[in-house]
Amino acid sequence: MTTRISQFHFSFYRNRPVQFDFSGGQITSDAGLLPLRAFDERHHLTRDWAALLSDPRDDQRLCHDSLELLRQRIYQIVAGYEDANDADRLRHDPTLQLVADQKLGEALGSQPTLSRWENAPSARDLVRLNDALLDQFLRFCGKQVRQRGEILLDIDSADDPTHGQQQLSFFNGAYHQHMYHPMPIFERHTGCLLAVRLRPGNACSHARIVPMLLRLAPRLEAAFPGVPIQLRGDAGFALPLLYQFCEFFGIQYSLGIATNAVFQRQAELRQKRQARRYRRTGIPQRSFSSFRHRARSWSRQRRICYRAEHTATRTNLRLLITNCPGRACEVFAFYNDRGECENRIEEFQNGFHADRLSCHRFLANAFRLLLHGCAYNLVNLFRLLQLPQAWHSAQIETLRAHLFTIGARVCQTARRVRVHLATGWPWQSLFRELALSFNTG
């Protein structure tokens, strides 16, 4: 018995009907994920992550194990399908079945399956998974760290608006919204995410930063003896305990600090000079200097660098607290480069949609945040270690448009799976180069 295929047509082309039907077979729009999956398989990234997760489900009743669900979820995030609801629409996508190591034609996990799985990990699982982010940085980026001769940690907080009755969702006056308050830590030169922690919405910017660094600093020092570690952060991290921590571990830090009457008096003379010079020349003025200061809550004197500006619109005073050597202008130049951290956070939150934390339980949302972090690091290591130099700065939107999102027809025979890509695809030379590197590596 044959099944009749319904055909439809459009009539806009050269007075000829354009017919279409839905009998094309196994078609996918994300065949470019295959090189990323080959990179993952070579370095067993997702396999290592899945091994850290406990699974309380009965093995005899499982249709989808943790490794398959982890791969399904991470590769969906990489492809731009960040919601668990997308799983219901993509269960039969042949590329996602291939990258999840599922048999072609057999459905992947559904949204309810993924939601139950996301609620299963314990707090101990999340700690192990967070530590794995650092493990893989030590494993893959040692050569780059030694060539660069330094490790540069960029810290910043991010906001994640919440909706409904989510656990530990609170109103944050600084952001004027109900939210969670994630804390990522990036390594500047490699772009790797070394740690990420979900915090309640009412947490201050520096909350839990010292415990997070306490899990990183000793291991970085042990893995790279003699390599200096530097730290940058905005004024939200002006915390005496953080200064003491950095000084104890020999970390060079440059942190923003809010102005006060004492600091303003120190810079007053220089600002008056700038005002007189501006009135005389009409040219905006900027100068740098520093002084030593000890607050009542500090155990010792510390260096305060400041930048004083005078323009037609305003007089501006910007301050840093630091233990870095060098002139004040050099310290500010070093600090201002932390704008790259903002780019990383923007890519993490918007490109990888790390703000999609819609579970009710706080622990499940913390696990979701780590899944997005794993997806980010998978792509970051891929572009750092596998892609040509020109692609090292490409963000996820560029990689999706130029590599990951490519239509293909997938055919399965008894001996192999054939993926037929578009003949006129403009980025096929990059795809061939990647495929050749995996075949000969």
Side-chain angles (χ1 to χ4, degrees), residues 423-434:
T423 304
W425 186 36
W427 304 103
Q428 55 184 276
S429 59
L430 173 63
F431 201 94
R432 285 198 183 98
E433 182 180 345
L434 291 172

Side-chain angles (χ1 to χ4, degrees), residues 152-154 184-188 191-193 344-345 348 376:
L152 179 49
L153 305 181
D154 276 322
I185 300 178
F186 292 93
E187 202 285 318
R188 164 66 175 87
C192 286
L193 179 67
R344 298 295 181 182
I345 291 180
F348 181 48
Y376 170 89

Side-chain angles (χ1 to χ4, degrees), residues 43-70:
H43 301 292
H44 46 86
L45 299 173
T46 53
R47 188 176 300 277
D48 289 348
W49 289 329
L52 301 173
L53 301 175
S54 57
D55 192 346
R57 298 176 298 168
D58 185 355
D59 292 340
Q60 296 181 349
R61 305 179 65 180
L62 286 183
C63 294
H64 310 282
D65 61 24
S66 286
L67 177 57
E68 178 189 325
L69 295 176
L70 178 75

Side-chain angles (χ1 to χ4, degrees), residues 68-315:
E68 178 189 325
L69 295 176
L70 178 75
R71 284 174 174 162
Q72 178 186 353
R73 192 74 172 93
I74 285 179
Y75 282 98
Q76 282 185 193
I77 293 171
V78 171
Y81 310 113
E82 67 277 0
D83 288 328
N85 290 333
D86 294 324
D88 286 338
R89 296 185 289 272
L90 297 167
R91 298 181 69 191
H92 301 283
D93 184 277
T95 294
L96 289 177
Q97 290 175 350
L98 287 173
V99 298
D101 204 18
Q102 172 69 294
K103 185 177 180 181
L104 280 175
E106 294 188 3
L108 294 168
S110 63
Q111 179 271 324
T113 299
L114 285 173
S115 294
R116 288 192 296 269
W117 174 72
E118 288 177 344
N119 279 268
S122 64
R124 188 180 297 274
D125 293 334
L126 304 193
V127 172
R128 288 197 294 262
L129 192 58
N130 223 326
D131 288 342
L133 300 178
L134 178 61
D135 291 338
Q136 291 173 349
F137 169 77
L138 300 178
R139 175 181 163 197
F140 294 110
C141 299
K143 180 179 179 181
Q144 289 86 342
V145 168
R146 294 182 180 90
Q147 288 177 345
R148 179 73 61 170
E150 69 176 15
I151 298 171
L152 179 49
L153 305 181
D154 276 322
I155 58 176
D156 205 346
S157 58
D159 65 300
D160 178 15
T162 54
H163 310 279
Q165 301 300 316
Q166 294 181 264
Q167 287 182 346
L168 300 183
S169 166
F170 295 109
F171 183 81
N172 190 304
Y175 293 91
H176 307 289
Q177 62 185 355
H178 286 81
M179 55 178 277
Y180 288 134
H181 205 171
M183 166 72 75
I185 300 178
F186 292 93
E187 202 285 318
R188 164 66 175 87
H189 302 302
T190 61
C192 286
L193 179 67
L194 303 189
V196 61
R197 181 164 185 161
L198 188 65
R199 303 174 299 174
N202 60 353
C204 59
S205 293
H206 58 68
R208 310 305 296 170
I209 181 59
V210 172
M212 290 180 69
L213 291 172
L214 192 58
R215 298 190 70 88
L216 297 180
R219 296 188 60 194
L220 290 173
E221 287 188 340
F224 306 108
V227 176
I229 302 175
Q230 297 178 313
L231 178 76
R232 297 185 298 201
D234 61 23
F237 297 94
L239 178 69
L241 182 61
L242 181 56
Y243 313 152
Q244 296 172 11
F245 174 87
C246 291
E247 290 158 0
F248 177 83
F249 280 97
I251 298 173
Q252 294 182 352
Y253 62 88
S254 292
L255 304 169
I257 190 169
T259 186
N260 57 38
V262 176
F263 296 161
Q264 288 175 344
R265 285 196 297 270
Q266 291 281 355
E268 184 177 8
L269 180 60
R270 184 174 292 268
Q271 288 181 301
K272 287 181 178 179
R273 291 175 184 168
Q274 286 185 327
R276 289 195 299 268
R277 190 176 297 120
Y278 176 78
R279 287 193 297 267
R280 187 173 65 252
T281 65
I283 301 174
Q285 302 295 314
R286 171 186 289 182
S287 63
F288 301 86
S289 188
S290 65
F291 56 89
R292 307 290 297 183
H293 175 73
R294 178 180 178 181
R296 290 182 180 179
S297 60
W298 298 358
S299 60
R300 52 181 292 184
Q301 278 192 339
R302 293 186 170 94
R303 185 187 184 196
I304 306 295
C305 296
Y306 67 88
R307 182 186 67 200
E309 296 177 318
H310 191 94
T311 65
T313 57
R314 63 174 180 168
T315 298

